[in-house]
Amino acid sequence: MVQYDVSKRVTEMSRRTTLITVIAVGSGAGAGCLDNTTESQRENNNGTDDSDKNGAEEARELAAEMVELIDDELSVINWELNGMFVPEYTESAGVEADIPILGDAYAEIVDQGFDRRAMPTALDEDGNVDFMVFLEPEWANAYLGGDWSEDEYYTEIEDSEH
């Protein structure tokens, strides 16, 4: 039977325990060094996951608000928000008639912080694309800020038809 020296065993145990502790503390410290932002910085920093989620959620809510604003007149049947906001609608009265509805609703959500391009798409009775226009946050901001008149804003939207 092999006999162990108690002091040797305690020393080995201490070395092992110390090594594990150092590794654990070092890993924790390293992780802390990689993300040394304070809670208030996280709340105010748009680059964090939480604010990205909050920003995406806010954009989705504003897009839904625009859908509500235009739905009664244009009958939105579908919409998506993946980088660009694309509402699809079926009750088009033509580009010129749709632009004030789309432009005003878009300006309203841009005024609340929406910052994504939109591409409202009119569908014909068969569900095929009739036409689409672009709405740019810069255009809405120029209109809202008084740099563009309503006519200039609507003309820019009309010229984007494709």
Side-chain angles (χ1 to χ4, degrees), residues 39-107:
E39 188 63 34
S40 63
Q41 287 172 320
R42 280 188 204 103
E43 290 173 5
N44 294 323
N45 184 353
N46 288 335
T48 64
D49 288 346
D50 287 344
S51 33
D52 286 347
K53 289 177 189 174
N54 292 341
E57 185 178 315
E58 182 179 343
R60 192 157 198 68
E61 289 172 4
L62 289 171
E65 184 176 320
M66 179 171 167
V67 167
E68 287 181 34
L69 290 169
I70 66 174
D71 188 46
D72 286 343
E73 295 178 74
L74 299 176
S75 297
V76 176
I77 60 166
N78 190 27
W79 65 276
E80 62 182 66
L81 181 65
N82 297 320
M84 184 185 300
F85 172 44
V86 182
E88 296 176 330
Y89 62 96
T90 58
E91 296 296 321
S92 174
V95 176
E96 287 183 28
D98 294 357
I99 286 174
I101 299 164
L102 297 168
D104 291 350
Y106 185 71

Side-chain angles (χ1 to χ4, degrees), residues 4 18 30 56 79 99 139:
Y4 290 102
T18 302
W79 65 276
I99 286 174
W139 301 348

